[in-house]
Amino acid sequence: MYILIEAFRSAWHNLLAHRLRSFLTTLGIVIGTASVVTVVALMQGFSDSIKSQFADLGGGALTISAQNDFDNFRTGNIRHLKLSDIDLVRFGVEGIAHVAPTMSIGSLGTVRYRGRSTNPSIFATTAEYVHVERKFPRVGRFLVDGDDKGRRRVAVLGSRLAEDLKMPANPVGEFIQLGNEWVKVIGVMEKRGEIFGMSQDNYAIIPFNLGHAMHGREREPVFEISFTVASLDSVDRVRERVERVLRAAHRLRPSQEDDFKVAAADQLLKQFDQIASMATLVLGGVVGISMLVGGIGIMTVMLVSVTERTREIGILKAIGATRRDILIQFLMEAGLLSLFGGVVGIALGVGLAKVVALMIPNFPPATVPVWVALGAALFCALVGVVFGIMPASKAANLDPIEALRYE
């Protein structure tokens, strides 16, 4: 321990004695570290923003949809879920908390209000939708069971749709036209913002049975069933029960594949997380190559330093310093040089990342995890030690007599 402390003290004094050269030596490490931290911070901030928006979409929900492949679409043999599947899932599977079917009503097309018109998404669902998707009304109320059973002509609007139609701040009681159908506005949902540049608030929601009636021509409409589980620990078990019950209801033989699929809302998030992590590692690795250039710079300057300090090394050996003492001192000096460059590079990278994030419109704030800062600092120190081995070995192997004769 004493040897390490003494080596650190000696290395520190040598670096301070040549401040400008020390700084210029570490410039490659500074630039390399700053580049890595900037890239990782921007990627991490972007990833965190996307994950947050996905979580707002209802990360704990699962969705059942009909399974169709290319042949189904090519032959027109499109599979649909059955209306009876809704009650089957709701009452026939243990462990389910809320169930909400959702049916897109694209056929209604344009929404009109006092001469203004727009084309939002229109879909039909039930009262449990708010619990499944965790979307709640900002003003007014959401659908209730009575709206669905009575096929009441009511609608809940997304905040963007209400803005596009220039409706009053509280439009409850106003009437809008969905296609050729008049419905009464009973509420406006909370604003959710945008994801991938697309608004999450440009929609109108009507009761499921009303939507089915408006859909009209098809006996089995195209819809999905979303549900939540009572306990997150039982997600996999509930999912297996749902698949078992639906296979039995659809009379599928053991050799037949499912004609439906049950997907968790967070699967897409997990896939994105994997892609983002991989992209961060690849980009960080590519940019990190520049740190090796900085390491080569340190090695070059250290070799020059060994030559300049040959006589000093000879004196140290003459008064009793061992080969190991010289080796440790020069390795310590190279490691400190690189670590110093890494610390400066981290600070510079954090600042650059924040500036770049501010300069790009709608880009999320940069995030620098602690593991990135610690990892960058340790890697820099490692680079210094690795590239300092050659000059340190050269210094340690010098013959003391020849070193003392060196002019």
Side-chain angles (χ1 to χ4, degrees), residues 305-319:
S305 177
V306 169
T307 303
E308 290 176 349
R309 295 159 61 187
T310 298
R311 190 172 180 81
E312 174 190 334
I313 296 168
I315 295 172
L316 287 173
K317 285 196 168 184
I319 61 177

Side-chain angles (χ1 to χ4, degrees), residues 34-215:
S35 303
V36 172
V37 172
T38 301
V39 169
V40 173
L42 290 174
M43 286 295 297
Q44 195 68 36
F46 181 71
S47 176
D48 290 347
S49 173
I50 296 298
K51 284 190 281 188
S52 173
Q53 294 184 55
F54 269 121
D56 289 342
L57 292 177
L62 291 92
T63 300
I64 308 168
S65 58
Q67 177 82 297
N68 288 295
D69 56 21
F70 177 75
D71 285 339
N72 293 111
F73 291 109
R74 184 175 58 83
T75 60
N77 184 26
I78 307 297
R79 296 166 175 166
H80 296 163
L81 293 177
K82 300 175 182 178
L83 290 172
S84 58
D85 291 339
I86 301 171
D87 286 340
L88 198 61
V89 173
R90 178 179 284 120
F91 302 113
V93 180
E94 183 184 355
I96 286 183
H98 301 285
V99 178
T102 54
M103 174 170 41
S104 176
I105 317 292
S107 58
L108 291 178
T110 304
V111 177
R112 298 181 180 84
Y113 173 73
R114 295 185 180 179
R116 291 178 285 274
S117 63
T118 183
N119 294 285
S121 301
I122 304 172
F123 60 93
T125 187
T126 60
E128 290 181 87
Y129 179 83
V130 290
H131 301 295
V132 173
E133 298 294 334
R134 293 190 296 174
K135 292 180 178 178
F136 301 96
R138 176 173 57 83
V139 295
R141 65 172 177 85
F142 194 71
L143 304 174
V144 297
D145 290 338
D147 297 328
D148 198 37
K149 292 175 182 174
R151 294 183 182 177
R152 291 175 185 158
R153 292 180 176 273
V154 294
V156 183
L157 310 182
S159 57
R160 169 69 181 276
L161 175 57
E163 291 171 6
D164 288 349
L165 293 175
K166 300 187 185 305
M167 303 188 76
N170 185 353
V172 174
E174 299 287 330
F175 284 85
I176 60 173
Q177 197 174 9
L178 303 182
N180 296 320
E181 307 286 343
W182 286 96
V183 297
K184 182 180 180 180
V185 176
I186 59 172
V188 178
M189 302 297 283
E190 290 176 334
K191 195 168 187 175
R192 305 297 291 268
E194 295 184 347
I195 183 168
F196 297 128
M198 299 177 65
S199 174
Q200 303 178 70
D201 305 302
N202 190 21
Y203 59 84
I205 303 174
I206 60 176
F208 187 79
N209 285 332
L210 176 64
H212 188 199
M214 288 181 174
H215 213 266

